[in-house]
Amino acid sequence: IPVPESNPSLAGISRAPLEHSPSPCILADSREISSGPGVISCLRAVHGLRVQVCSLGTSDYIVSSRLAVDRVFQSELQSPGNRNKLSQRLQRLQGVFERICVIVETDRVRPGETSRFFQRTQHYDGVLSALVQAGIRILFSSCQEETAALLKELALLEHRKDAAIQAPTEPEGHRRDILNFYLSIPNLSYGAALNLCHSFGSITAVANSSVAALAAGARLSRPQAEELHRFLRHDFDLQLLPQPLPAKGK
Amino acid sequence: PVTAGSIVVPYGHVIGNEKWRGSEVAQRLQGKVRLIFEDGLGLVDFHLSNRTCILLISEADLVAGDEFKRRLVRFRNASSLRGIVIVEKTQISDQYYSGVQKFVVLELGMVLLPVANQGEASQLIVQLVSFCVREQSKERGANPFLRKQRAQLAEPAVLQAAQHIPGVGKTKALLLLQHFGSIHRLCNASISELGQVVGQTVAQQIYTF
């Protein structure tokens, strides 16, 4: 649940300095090229944001170093069929991100189809209630263009709260390999991995860092930084590997 | 008067503002939840639990102008309760929705849920109450969207990570981890130490990485 501005009615005033800083960047999952092309092109063309398409895996969009956004269709919330998939996805996101937002988008009316009457089900209300209870932010959108506008608003808001993604989003060559190494660490978001690449000279520097330095460098919350720290110093025990391994090597 | 403080809501009950007595929402809630009316709830329309309450914004409120915004801001400033705003989003009020959403969710940081009419509002309230009850009874596992804290073995993940080092596959990753124990110690190993495990060429690659 977001911390509200201390004085909401004055929130508009603090926006002025934004004009001078670079526009915020949004990371989009590569699957969104096919499922939400309107969102991506609208973000770029209408709102002038930097959109970096990468293989996020976890969420549809990453808006800041702590906020992930998932785009779901209204129809997906209507029936219990999708419930498991959605809850698994959101549970995973909660391990990785401090804040999660779901944008519920009205389904597109396909050509030749008359506008379907939206019949609100009990399941739909139940899902909304569960999301509210879990502290997940919900936004409603009527089309891809509106979704893009909402993503922009979220990015600006996070930018104002100094949580925007600032590291270069497209490392190359050797840095690309290092990024892939960071991405293989469990519960580390794409944004945090980018920050690690950007803030630390080498993996050794990361491995030797204190929890506080990791939190500052990767812009992680304290518990997340502790988890990363633990992971890097985890003592490997061959006996604990689940599957039997091929007896080669020695 | 601005009354937005918490009140004690008996388990599984809903306390409704007196002004909703006899309304469609109230009628539909009767029988599904135990509804009690009270005077002087001030800004709040329904209390679902000691922490959660509902502010209902009708189609007419939306069309009438900004009065409802003042009410929400007053609530936000005066109360530490979790306020859920339910708004009547109809064909007439639809055009105002995105503005309201921006204000309520992004600026005030409150929850906003649209319904088409009072009937839908009552259905939604029933579901919200059931989740409030579950939360109070500490049945948190019942929420499918809350992350279950589960201890996970780090071994497979550490092995995966080690395989992202150039020149290192599964076999070498295992050897390295058996020898050095953790990624931290692996990072701080010298070329000659690495060389003893995987050979000079790969040791050089790992060291440079």
Side-chain angles (χ1 to χ4, degrees):
Chain A
I1 291 176
V3 182
E5 239 94 5
S6 56
N7 190 343
S9 54
L10 291 177
I13 294 169
S14 60
R15 267 174 224 164
L18 255 183
E19 315 286 323
H20 306 289
S21 48
S23 64
C25 175
I26 291 181
L27 304 178
D29 188 61
S30 36
R31 281 169 313 174
E32 282 292 289
I33 295 176
S34 55
S35 66
V39 181
I40 295 179
S41 61
C42 198
L43 279 171
R44 283 186 178 143
V46 183
H47 304 294
L49 296 187
R50 285 182 297 142
V51 183
Q52 178 70 45
V53 178
C54 27
S55 173
L56 299 178
T58 45
S59 66
D60 292 333
Y61 294 93
I62 296 179
V63 165
S64 75
S65 46
R66 58 184 185 184
L67 174 66
V69 181
D70 242 7
R71 194 173 143 246
V72 297
F73 287 112
Q74 203 169 31
S75 60
E76 289 178 69
L77 304 185
Q78 275 288 66
S79 64
N82 294 303
R83 186 199 177 114
N84 271 343
K85 220 176 81 197
L86 187 67
S87 70
Q88 274 167 15
R89 214 170 137 74
L90 294 180
Q91 275 184 25
R92 247 190 89 199
L93 275 185
Q94 282 183 321
V96 181
F97 291 92
E98 273 177 75
R99 294 168 185 213
I100 302 163
C101 177
V102 167
I103 297 184
V104 181
E105 194 174 289
T106 314
D107 296 68
R108 254 180 307 176
V109 182
R110 290 182 188 81
E113 201 178 40
T114 47
S115 170
R116 271 175 297 176
F117 181 66
F118 173 67
Q119 186 70 50
R120 197 180 179 108
T121 59
Q122 198 181 350
H123 179 78
Y124 179 81
D125 286 332
V127 171
L128 291 185
S129 306
L131 290 172
V132 168
Q133 206 79 56
I136 295 170
R137 243 202 279 200
I138 315 168
L139 292 166
F140 293 86
S141 157
S142 59
C143 57
Q144 296 197 8
E145 287 69 32
E146 202 179 330
T147 301
L150 290 171
L151 283 169
K152 182 200 76 170
E153 291 296 337
L154 286 170
L156 286 179
L157 194 73
E158 289 290 288
H159 191 75
R160 219 158 50 214
K161 292 181 179 170
D162 201 30
I165 299 166
Q166 256 141 17
T169 50
E170 218 171 0
E172 276 164 12
H174 182 54
R175 293 206 149 243
R176 182 84 228 165
D177 294 334
I178 293 186
L179 176 66
N180 283 330
F181 174 82
Y182 292 140
L183 287 174
S184 69
I185 298 173
N187 290 341
L188 198 68
S189 73
Y190 203 97
L194 283 172
N195 287 335
L196 282 175
C197 273
H198 185 63
S199 315
F200 295 90
S202 66
I203 296 177
T204 307
V206 172
N208 289 333
S209 291
S210 66
V211 173
L214 288 176
R219 317 199 67 185
L220 290 169
S221 69
R222 182 85 195 181
Q224 283 177 315
E226 278 166 4
E227 192 180 337
L228 173 59
H229 192 256
R230 246 195 328 274
F231 178 82
L232 291 169
R233 283 159 199 261
H234 180 81
D235 244 323
F236 186 77
D237 182 352
L238 184 65
Q239 307 301 321
L240 291 176
L241 270 182
Q243 75 278 34
L245 287 149
K248 288 185 285 180
K250 273 212 166 163
Chain B
V2 183
T3 313
S6 71
I7 61 167
V8 179
V9 183
Y11 192 76
H13 284 62
V14 171
I15 297 183
N17 196 314
E18 184 62 38
K19 72 177 179 197
W20 290 100
R21 193 187 281 278
S23 66
E24 194 193 339
V25 193
Q27 277 169 9
R28 286 179 179 245
L29 282 177
Q30 304 275 14
K32 297 206 176 94
V33 294
R34 275 159 287 183
L35 184 62
I36 302 167
F37 285 106
E38 240 177 65
D39 234 353
L41 290 190
L43 301 168
V44 174
D45 292 310
F46 295 95
H47 283 278
L48 305 188
S49 74
N50 299 346
R51 313 183 30 230
T52 314
C53 63
I54 283 182
L55 292 100
L56 212 57
I57 296 173
S58 68
E59 178 189 51
D61 290 337
L62 277 186
V63 178
D66 284 351
E67 182 51 40
F68 76 91
K69 290 193 180 176
R70 255 166 257 139
R71 178 175 152 220
L72 294 180
V73 170
R74 263 161 55 202
F75 170 82
R76 198 77 194 82
N77 290 341
S79 171
S80 59
L81 290 182
R82 174 163 59 187
I84 298 173
V85 181
I86 296 184
V87 62
E88 237 183 303
K89 185 184 181 218
T90 61
Q91 279 187 332
I92 295 166
S93 64
D94 193 36
Q95 53 179 315
Y96 303 103
Y97 186 78
S98 71
V100 172
Q101 176 163 264
K102 201 177 147 188
F103 178 72
V104 174
V105 183
L106 300 178
E107 289 183 29
L108 297 184
M110 293 170 76
V111 178
L112 179 71
L113 300 172
V115 295
N117 49 51
Q118 289 199 11
E120 285 195 2
S122 70
Q123 282 179 34
L124 178 58
I125 290 173
V126 170
Q127 288 297 321
L128 286 167
V129 170
S130 103
F131 270 91
C132 281
V133 169
R134 282 188 225 180
E135 189 185 46
Q136 282 173 322
S137 63
K138 300 282 184 286
E139 258 184 80
R140 291 181 72 84
N143 190 327
F145 301 118
L146 272 178
R147 189 183 177 218
K148 293 170 188 75
Q149 284 294 338
R150 206 171 338 131
Q152 266 182 341
L153 281 177
E155 264 67 22
V158 172
L159 186 62
Q160 272 296 320
Q163 288 177 52
H164 280 84
I165 302 169
V168 177
K170 193 161 187 175
T171 313
K172 287 207 180 81
L174 268 174
L175 273 177
L176 286 167
L177 287 171
Q178 276 181 289
H179 197 272
F180 295 102
S182 69
I183 290 178
H184 174 242
R185 287 221 295 282
L186 181 56
C187 283
N188 290 301
S190 68
I191 294 195
S192 61
E193 284 177 300
L194 290 169
Q196 286 166 15
V197 186
V198 288
Q200 278 310 313
T201 331
V202 181
Q204 183 64 49
Q205 270 184 315
I206 297 171
Y207 191 77
T208 333
F209 185 66

